[in-house]
Amino acid sequence: VTTEPVERTPKGKVSPPGPAVISWSGLKRWEHCPQHHLRVIRKEVERSQMGRVFLPGTICDLVQRRWLESAAPQPGEMAEMVGTVFADVVAEGESVIKWRGNPLQDQQEVLAYCRQTVTTLEPWLVRNVLPYDYQPEVRFRAHMKVPYLCEGERLFGIVKMIGGIDIVVRDDQGKFRLYDLKTTKNDGYIRSTLAQLIFYDLAWGVIQGDFYHAVEWGFVTPALPEPYIPITVGREDRAAMLSRIIKYCHGVWADQWQPKADDDGCNWCEARGSCEKFREVPIVDENGKQRLSFTQAAAQRAQYRQ
Ligand code: SF4
């Protein structure tokens, strides 16, 4: 994402803004707290402490991908792959894993959860993916032009949508289906992220030059009683997603990175250490000593709550 100010060409014309990069998680983060998103872009956040929370999902995702990418996926293999993938993910150490209680016991619980989940997942993949042409983990970059009004001039800026679709399937009729794997037991979480597939559909439509290219969208949910949650994506859903994306781009191009007004979740925010709202305010006292001003820091926090 560029945060450069708009520039004028030698003839006095306003230059279009640089490209705004947007992922689904980035869009949600920016909508929740623009300051948090800025700190992530600038890599000014602490290493994630949430490794344990996301561990089962990361393992199941990777097992699914490796199994679908293998030359001839066979039933029963996915559960057998869990141990190796678990070891790989833990060794990689991308985020901090804080084991719950007894580490060995907790690790066994993660392994059991993942084996159970992929054992439910596998027959679904055998029925709905293996018989067709498919591609797991489809990384995409989709470019769109977005209108932008700057100093009275109508410009077009570029937005670059990025992300990865867990599985894309082309069925017997040549129609495409987009699937996302969710290994949570919390169906409320799935309901809160339904628009993720609308984001993917929009990007897929841009890449293919056809917004009717995909005909089925769904969350594969092997840890829930119902292992598949289909959603529908229509014209209005795409329009609503497009307006969220345009709002994001305008915010980025206008350098709007304000911290959110309330403090909910700020205590465990990965960006708190670099957040403007919680920045320490150094002062020099009457003896010439460097100190921190607690009152000025409080005034700074209050400013963002107005
Ligand atoms: S600490 Fe709170 S206000 Fe600051 S970046 Fe994080 S969520 Fe936003």
Side-chain angles (χ1 to χ4, degrees):
V1 171
T2 177
T3 57
E4 296 295 312
V6 288
E7 287 176 2
R8 288 188 174 275
T9 63
K11 288 186 177 168
K13 282 213 162 273
V14 177
S15 300
V21 179
I22 186 171
S23 64
W24 167 244
S25 56
L27 174 62
K28 285 210 306 180
R29 191 189 302 117
W30 182 83
E31 288 175 341
H32 182 245
C33 177
Q35 175 74 188
H36 183 184
H37 189 51
L38 175 68
R39 300 300 161 187
V40 171
I41 292 166
R42 291 189 176 167
K43 301 189 174 22
E44 293 171 349
V45 293
E46 291 163 11
R47 188 162 158 239
S48 170
Q49 305 286 309
M50 304 289 279
R52 172 62 182 85
V53 176
F54 298 119
L55 186 59
T58 308
I59 292 168
C60 294
D61 258 344
L62 199 47
V63 168
Q64 173 180 266
R65 195 191 319 166
R66 287 186 187 176
W67 188 71
L68 288 175
E69 281 173 349
S70 64
Q74 297 298 317
E77 287 176 337
M78 288 181 80
E80 287 171 16
M81 294 163 71
V82 166
T84 310
V85 172
F86 173 95
D88 291 349
V89 172
V90 172
E92 199 173 278
E94 197 176 295
S95 53
V96 178
I97 299 174
K98 293 180 175 166
W99 300 110
R100 297 171 184 160
N102 180 318
L104 280 180
Q105 202 175 328
D106 194 31
Q107 288 164 19
Q108 290 309 316
E109 280 174 25
V110 172
L111 286 164
Y113 184 85
C114 293
R115 285 191 184 111
Q116 175 61 50
T117 303
V118 298
T119 299
T120 311
L121 169 64
E122 200 178 72
W124 190 91
L125 295 173
V126 168
R127 281 194 309 278
N128 296 286
V129 176
L130 291 192
Y132 309 105
D133 292 332
Y134 64 85
Q135 192 180 337
E137 187 61 12
V138 177
R139 309 295 308 171
F140 62 79
R141 280 172 183 271
H143 296 76
M144 273 192 299
K145 276 188 174 174
V146 166
Y148 178 56
L149 202 61
C150 181
E151 297 184 18
E153 286 191 46
R154 191 173 159 80
L155 307 172
F156 282 93
I158 300 287
V159 54
K160 198 191 300 183
M161 299 172 76
I162 59 169
I165 306 170
D166 284 344
I167 311 173
V168 176
V169 169
R170 187 175 61 184
D171 68 18
D172 289 342
Q173 280 83 45
K175 301 289 185 189
F176 283 79
R177 307 175 193 164
L178 313 183
Y179 298 127
D180 191 74
L181 174 64
K182 295 277 183 249
T183 55
T184 179
K185 280 183 167 171
N186 178 357
D187 63 346
Y189 169 69
I190 310 269
R191 275 198 299 275
S192 75
T193 196
L194 294 180
Q196 181 179 356
L197 280 170
I198 302 171
F199 183 91
Y200 290 173
D201 170 79
L202 198 59
W204 190 251
V206 170
I207 292 164
Q208 302 295 340
D210 173 8
F211 287 103
Y212 298 94
H213 206 257
V215 294
E216 188 180 321
W217 312 261
F219 292 98
V220 187
T221 52
L224 291 180
E226 194 53 62
Y228 179 62
I229 300 177
I231 69 156
T232 52
V233 181
R235 216 183 146 83
E236 285 178 9
D237 302 304
R238 292 187 190 102
M241 179 56 67
L242 198 53
S243 55
R244 286 172 72 177
I245 292 172
I246 290 172
K247 196 172 170 197
Y248 167 90
C249 292
H250 288 182
V252 167
W253 288 328
D255 251 338
Q256 289 171 355
W257 304 110
Q258 69 282 6
K260 70 194 190 86
D262 64 64
D263 291 352
D264 285 354
C266 289
N267 276 347
W268 51 86
C269 171
E270 61 184 350
R272 187 181 166 111
S274 52
C275 172
E276 262 177 38
K277 187 164 66 173
F278 295 98
R279 198 177 40 195
E280 293 180 331
V281 181
I283 53 164
V284 178
D285 71 10
E286 61 274 15
N287 300 316
K289 276 197 168 175
Q290 279 278 353
R291 294 198 185 282
L292 294 175
S293 170
F294 298 133
T295 49
Q296 287 186 30
Q300 179 178 264
R301 288 196 295 279
Q303 167 202 335
Y304 291 112
R305 293 197 188 104
Q306 286 160 7

